[in-house]
Amino acid sequence: MSKSTKQMPGIIEGCKANRRPEQEALYKFFYADMLKLCCRYLSTDELAYEALNTGFLKVFQNIDFYDEQKGELGAWIHTIMMHACIDLARKEARFNNVANTNDVIDEAFVEPAVLEKLYVDDVLLAIRTLPASTQLVFNLAVIEGYSHYDIGEQLNISESTSRWHLSVAKKQLRELLQPSNNQLNKPTEKSNKAT
């Protein structure tokens, strides 16, 4: 058990008493993981930081309701942060209910050679290029594991719209991550002009 984990009960009590040093310690302990979460959900760094700050504000405002018997503090903060991201992404996204789902592709195939050359940062950058609404549905379905029914309930869209956005996300990501489109795999061109 790390020193920070051993100190967590005291940090939680300090946060409940609204003491700044303990609030700062909690913020620093979860900052990196929660920023990664926000970056995964939101298309720009500015939006990610806005969601991060909103999420931590909600954490500090509601820390009295945290019950360690019901779950781990990190999971509780993750849930609050995810909802802050969803709220902000919903404001940024424009959802159109899709009635026709003939274009829905159930499975996306990515060649194994592509997967071998990918790095987490490449995938994150590719996800962040998706339209905001499509990115949000992709994260909820693929990363968080929500069903299309649950996504529809959270975002006030139909299940078919959720499926359509997931299909579009998979298609666009497949195109972005193909070796011919991946900037990391392109050889640099040098000019051979005679001077």
Side-chain angles (χ1 to χ4, degrees), residues 24-93:
E24 183 179 349
L26 183 77
Y27 182 84
K28 286 180 179 179
F29 188 80
F30 289 102
Y31 174 84
D33 289 337
M34 296 304 117
L35 181 58
K36 288 176 192 172
L37 171 73
C38 294
C39 286
R40 197 171 62 229
Y41 272 92
L42 299 159
S43 57
T44 66
D45 290 343
E46 292 80 19
L47 291 173
Y49 282 111
E50 184 178 340
L52 181 76
N53 291 330
T54 301
F56 272 114
L57 179 62
K58 289 179 181 180
V59 166
F60 294 131
Q61 289 173 337
N62 295 295
I63 193 79
D64 289 329
F65 298 108
Y66 168 67
D67 182 2
E68 66 182 52
Q69 301 300 321
K70 292 183 179 179
E72 185 183 31
L73 179 64
W76 183 75
I77 292 174
H78 180 277
T79 302
I80 290 174
M81 203 64 64
M82 186 180 71
H83 287 289
C85 290
I86 290 170
D87 290 344
L88 186 57
R90 191 180 311 142
K91 279 193 239 179
E92 296 295 316

